[in-house]
Amino acid sequence: MTILPLLSALLLSFHVISQPITTQNDQTTLLNIKQFWSNPPSLNHWNQSTNPCTWPEITCTATIVTGITIFNQDVTGTVPPLICDLKNLTHLDLNYNYITGSFPTVLYNCTNLRYLDLSQNYFVGRIPEDISRLSPEIRYLSLSSNNFTGDIPVSISRLSKLSSLQLHANLFNGSFPEEIGDLKDLEELLLGFNSFTPSRLPQSFFQLNKLRIFIMTEANLIGEIPGNLSGMPAMELLDLSVNNIAGTIPSDLFLLKNLTQVYLYANHLTGGIPDAIEAMNMQIIDLSANNLTGKIPDGFGNLMSLTNLTLMINQLSGELPAGIARLPNLHDIRIFTNNLSGEFSPDFGRYSDLKIFDVAQNNFSGNLPENLCSRGQLKGLEVYENSLSGEIPKSLGTVAA
């Protein structure tokens, strides 16, 4: 009667012993990390009797632990000082937990680290001046959505292999270094939602020729957008909204052929909207709440991927280009509070699932487009304070409740 339990014990013992020495050492380290964090229930499956390479939070290469991803697991406390005992660790993702303390300089000992995500936690204090002591192999660094303060140190620009730097949504109240522009492999730069001291955009940022995503929303920017954007040909998403940027929109903005989204709303931009357009994959254009004048470019009517056109609260004049009404993917157009005039193309609502049509407070005349809601998707319609006439389109009777 005792043979089966004894056999099970022997098999279990054989399983543990049969693990490679490297795996056993890594398992010991991981179990010590779990204990350091007071054994969170979300890591109950971390135990002595199972191979750590089978744990969902752990990535192994062969039998060696190379990655930890503990996302939204209610982990509390600080970063364990023994975490770099995992000598082959290349990937560490602890985002969306309750981890506290200052920046964990213990991570300087993780000499093979390529990916570090400490975002959405409760870190405080300044980023250390010697942050360049992180692994020289690091490509991805996200410290966003924490409570870091002070300056972003110049030394961060010495992490020369960085392709993604995400420091947005902190409490930085100092400066950011223009030397970030020396990170020639940078593809993503997110510095928005910080209260930096009033700063101009460095020209060096606009020479990052691999940069695809650049977000500095609500970053206390002043001055003008540097001209000559040809130094950033890879740009796909540019967001400089909610700042104090003045001057004109660079004339070559829409010559960036890879550009798909641009957000420059809530600044103090003046002059016209550039009419030279080669960014034929544009999806979202938001230039609202500025002081822009002149006409809406006819070229916007050729942007077949455009879904959102937001130009409200400016001083734009002239007619709405007829081609915009025929864009097959347009579902949101907001051009209220301008000086636009003329009649609407009857094609609005005929070629796309129009959901928002907000043209209030302009000088439009004539009839509302008969097909405005022919597809039954319209959710928002505002046309007040114009000079419209005629009947309400019958298609509005198909609006879903």
Side-chain angles (χ1 to χ4, degrees):
M1 298 295 293
T2 60
I3 292 177
L4 286 177
L6 178 60
L7 180 59
S8 298
L10 287 172
L11 289 173
L12 179 60
S13 174
F14 177 78
H15 171 74
V16 173
I17 293 172
S18 67
Q19 292 186 51
I21 296 299
T22 305
T23 306
Q24 291 183 39
N25 291 341
D26 288 349
Q27 181 185 54
T28 299
T29 299
L30 290 167
L31 292 177
N32 287 336
I33 289 171
K34 174 188 173 185
Q35 185 177 24
F36 180 87
W37 280 330
S38 302
N39 300 306
S42 58
L43 301 181
N44 278 345
H45 54 281
W46 288 23
N47 56 62
Q48 191 71 41
S49 62
T50 56
N51 188 319
C53 294
T54 67
W55 302 344
E57 299 82 8
I58 303 302
T59 301
C60 292
T61 301
T63 59
I64 299 170
V65 172
T66 55
I68 301 177
T69 300
I70 301 177
F71 165 74
N72 191 21
Q73 298 288 351
D74 295 328
V75 170
T76 60
T78 59
V79 173
L82 68 162
I83 199 162
C84 293
D85 289 353
L86 299 166
K87 298 300 183 184
N88 298 286
L89 193 66
T90 62
H91 182 109
L92 179 60
D93 185 347
L94 302 178
N95 90 85
Y96 204 7
N97 283 290
Y98 297 91
I99 300 173
T100 58
S102 57
F103 180 86
T105 55
V106 64
L107 296 178
Y108 295 168
N109 297 319
C110 293
T111 55
N112 292 303
L113 204 59
R114 296 166 63 98
Y115 184 105
L116 176 60
D117 190 343
L118 302 178
S119 63
Q120 298 186 91
N121 279 289
Y122 291 87
F123 291 102
V124 297
R126 303 173 72 94
I127 293 181
E129 294 291 336
D130 62 352
I131 193 172
S132 57
R133 290 177 58 195
L134 281 171
S135 166
E137 297 301 315
I138 197 157
R139 267 76 166 173
Y140 181 101
L141 176 60
S142 179
L143 306 178
S144 62
S145 300
N146 279 287
N147 296 311
F148 289 114
T149 55
D151 303 321
I152 296 175
V154 174
S155 61
I156 208 164
S157 65
R158 292 197 285 273
L159 298 170
S160 61
K161 293 186 179 180
L162 275 178
S163 63
S164 182
L165 178 59
Q166 303 184 22
L167 303 176
H168 56 286
N170 274 284
L171 301 175
F172 292 118
N173 51 6
S175 62
F176 55 87
E178 65 179 64
E179 287 84 356
I180 288 175
D182 295 335
L183 294 169
K184 298 307 181 184
D185 288 331
L186 207 58
E187 297 180 19
E188 300 175 346
L189 178 58
L190 284 68
L191 301 178
F193 304 103
N194 283 297
S195 298
F196 295 115
T197 54
S199 305
R200 297 176 181 271
L201 280 164
Q203 179 67 51
S204 62
F205 286 13
F206 291 82
Q207 301 303 315
L208 291 167
N209 61 17
K210 294 183 180 180
L211 195 64
R212 296 183 299 103
I213 299 174
F214 182 27
I215 300 178
M216 287 198 74
T217 312
E218 282 190 59
N220 212 6
L221 296 174
I222 59 172
E224 300 185 5
I225 301 173
N228 188 8
L229 303 182
S230 61
M232 49 196 317
M235 183 59 57
E236 298 173 11
L237 188 160
L238 175 64
D239 188 345
L240 304 176
S241 54
V242 196
N243 282 293
N244 292 301
I245 300 173
T248 59
I249 298 174
S251 60
D252 54 353
L253 174 63
F254 295 115
L255 297 182
L256 298 173
K257 293 183 179 181
N258 292 298
L259 194 64
T260 61
Q261 299 180 47
V262 60
Y263 305 88
L264 299 178
Y265 64 87
N267 278 289
H268 305 291
L269 295 167
T270 56
I273 300 173
D275 57 5
I277 300 173
E278 296 182 8
M280 302 310 294
N281 295 313
M282 287 300 310
Q283 298 170 6
I284 298 174
I285 298 174
D286 191 341
L287 309 178
S288 59
N290 280 288
N291 298 304
L292 299 174
T293 55
K295 298 181 178 181
I296 298 174
D298 288 336
F300 281 6
N302 298 321
L303 300 175
M304 295 299 159
S305 298
L306 194 68
T307 62
N308 294 62
L309 179 61
T310 308
L311 305 175
M312 61 197 189
I313 316 176
N314 278 291
Q315 299 172 38
L316 299 171
S317 58
E319 297 186 0
L320 189 57
I324 291 175
R326 295 189 289 272
L327 295 177
N329 292 293
L330 186 68
H331 62 71
D332 190 327
I333 179 168
R334 306 184 196 209
I335 53 175
F336 64 86
T337 315
N338 277 289
N339 299 312
L340 297 166
S341 59
E343 298 187 2
F344 297 118
S345 166
D347 290 328
F348 273 111
R350 180 178 292 169
Y351 294 97
S352 68
D353 293 335
L354 202 59
K355 297 178 181 178
I356 302 292
F357 189 75
D358 193 341
V359 299
Q361 295 182 310
N362 279 288
N363 299 308
F364 290 115
S365 58
N367 299 330
L368 280 174
E370 180 59 40
N371 297 293
L372 200 56
C373 192
S374 62
R375 296 190 176 212
Q377 299 298 312
L378 198 65
K379 305 294 183 184
L381 173 64
E382 295 193 36
V383 300
Y384 62 88
E385 292 189 33
N386 280 289
S387 300
L388 299 173
S389 58
E391 297 181 353
I392 296 175
K394 292 183 175 61
S395 67
L396 291 181
T398 65
V399 175

